[in-house]
Amino acid sequence: GILAPTLIGRRLERNLRYGFKVWCMASPTGELLACQPYAGAKTLLPDIGLGQGPNVVHGLAVQYGLSPGSKVSCNNLFTSFDLLDYMGDKEWGVMGKLLFDLIIILE
């Protein structure tokens, strides 16, 4: 199945500073597979050296015990080319959105 790390938290207003934020990995049917409370720099996820988003995806995959051949779906906050390479080496598929800035040079 496809698993998706997501951020859960209820935002009542734009600058909400309080509440619980949890990184979660869920099955396609919504079954909770792995989770980690988000605590900023103190969040307990392994650092694989690719940045916070890839660390979250990898950390939840390891916490759940994702088997080779499994697929993970994530949004642009979590996705990077480095993550795709890293997860591919572990034989985990990744589907995610990548954003690029368009630079126009005017002469």
Side-chain angles (χ1 to χ4, degrees):
I2 296 177
L3 311 173
T6 49
L7 176 64
I8 296 177
R10 188 162 187 203
R11 274 187 87 146
L12 300 176
E13 58 185 72
R14 186 170 181 88
N15 295 319
L16 184 66
R17 292 181 185 227
Y18 305 102
F20 296 101
K21 296 169 184 75
V22 181
W23 299 118
C24 294
M25 180 172 278
S27 72
T29 60
E31 176 185 5
L32 180 63
L33 303 174
C35 66
Q36 179 68 43
Y38 175 70
K42 297 178 184 178
T43 302
L44 299 175
L45 287 170
D47 186 357
I48 58 172
L50 302 178
Q52 182 185 27
N55 286 345
V56 169
V57 175
H58 176 262
L60 292 173
V62 168
Q63 181 182 353
Y64 174 66
L66 203 62
S67 58
S70 297
K71 298 174 189 142
V72 177
S73 173
C74 47
N75 70 16
N76 60 297
L77 175 65
F78 301 93
T79 310
S80 70
F81 284 119
D82 290 336
L83 174 67
L84 300 179
D85 289 339
Y86 185 86
M87 298 287 273
D89 291 343
K90 303 253 183 218
E91 298 181 14
W92 295 329
V94 178
M95 180 182 70
K97 181 178 181 180
L98 291 169
L99 298 179
F100 291 94
D101 290 332
L102 178 61
I103 300 173
I104 300 172
I105 300 175
L106 300 175
E107 295 181 7

